[in-house]
Amino acid sequence: MERKKKLLIYAHYYIPDTASTGQILRELAEGLLDTFDITVICVVPSYLGTIEDKYKTKRYYKEKINGVKVLRIRVPEFDKTKGGSRVKNILSYFFGAMIATFKVGRQDYVFSISQPPILGGLLGVWGKWVNRNSKFVNAA
């Protein structure tokens, strides 16, 4: 039996967060499990700006949800009404995801979406650079 190809997905949000992108990417990831070994790099559940205590002690958290490997990054809590607070949250994810790329091992494919704007695409380029010879797919 041929080994499954490895697919890395960068997603700011992933289930159980209620952000629509997290829900859509869940369907995509779980739908591709027959073909790919999938890892998602995302933030700890924090779409509403708050973070549960269980996600406040470490920088990274590994989980497995319905067959999908999830590497979560702790980010600061934020206030959606304050731009500076959101920017700090987004940049924490961006730089944390760059480091997390080294934690997930060699990947054959890298998939990113343009969320957060522009930085999502840059993460995909970063992931491709780290995983030389991988294929990169950017969903704008």
Side-chain angles (χ1 to χ4, degrees):
M1 183 173 161
E2 189 176 321
R3 106 173 152 83
K4 287 184 183 179
K5 298 284 187 183
K6 294 183 176 186
L7 171 63
L8 172 61
I9 298 174
Y10 290 105
H12 192 109
Y13 297 111
Y14 192 72
I15 61 166
D17 263 326
T18 57
S20 59
T21 52
Q23 302 299 318
I24 291 167
L25 288 172
R26 171 196 187 171
E27 292 176 20
L28 175 69
E30 291 178 11
L32 291 172
L33 280 172
D34 287 343
T35 308
F36 295 97
D37 177 13
I38 298 176
T39 301
V40 174
I41 295 177
C42 60
V43 298
V44 298
S46 57
Y47 182 68
L48 298 177
T50 58
I51 296 171
E52 294 177 53
D53 287 343
K54 71 179 184 177
Y55 289 114
K56 291 183 178 180
T57 58
K58 300 185 297 186
R59 181 75 174 127
Y60 296 97
Y61 296 85
K62 288 184 177 182
E63 301 174 351
K64 196 163 191 173
I65 302 173
N66 299 329
V68 176
K69 291 180 230 157
V70 179
L71 180 56
R72 294 192 185 276
I73 301 160
R74 187 187 76 229
V75 291
E77 293 185 321
F78 65 98
D79 181 341
K80 285 189 171 204
T81 65
K82 296 181 180 167
S85 180
R86 290 186 65 121
V87 168
K88 183 177 176 183
N89 178 278
I90 288 168
L91 289 176
S92 293
Y93 165 65
F94 179 76
F95 291 112
M98 289 179 75
I99 294 166
T101 302
F102 294 106
K103 297 179 175 294
V104 298
R106 177 89 178 96
Q107 301 292 311
D108 299 299
Y109 295 89
V110 176
F111 178 86
S112 68
I113 60 172
S114 295
Q115 186 201 11
I118 301 170
L119 297 181
L122 289 175
L123 278 175
V125 171
W126 170 257
K128 172 148 178 52
W129 184 79
V130 169
N131 291 282
R132 301 207 190 280
N133 299 320
S134 65
K135 306 284 189 239
F136 170 46
V137 178
N138 184 39

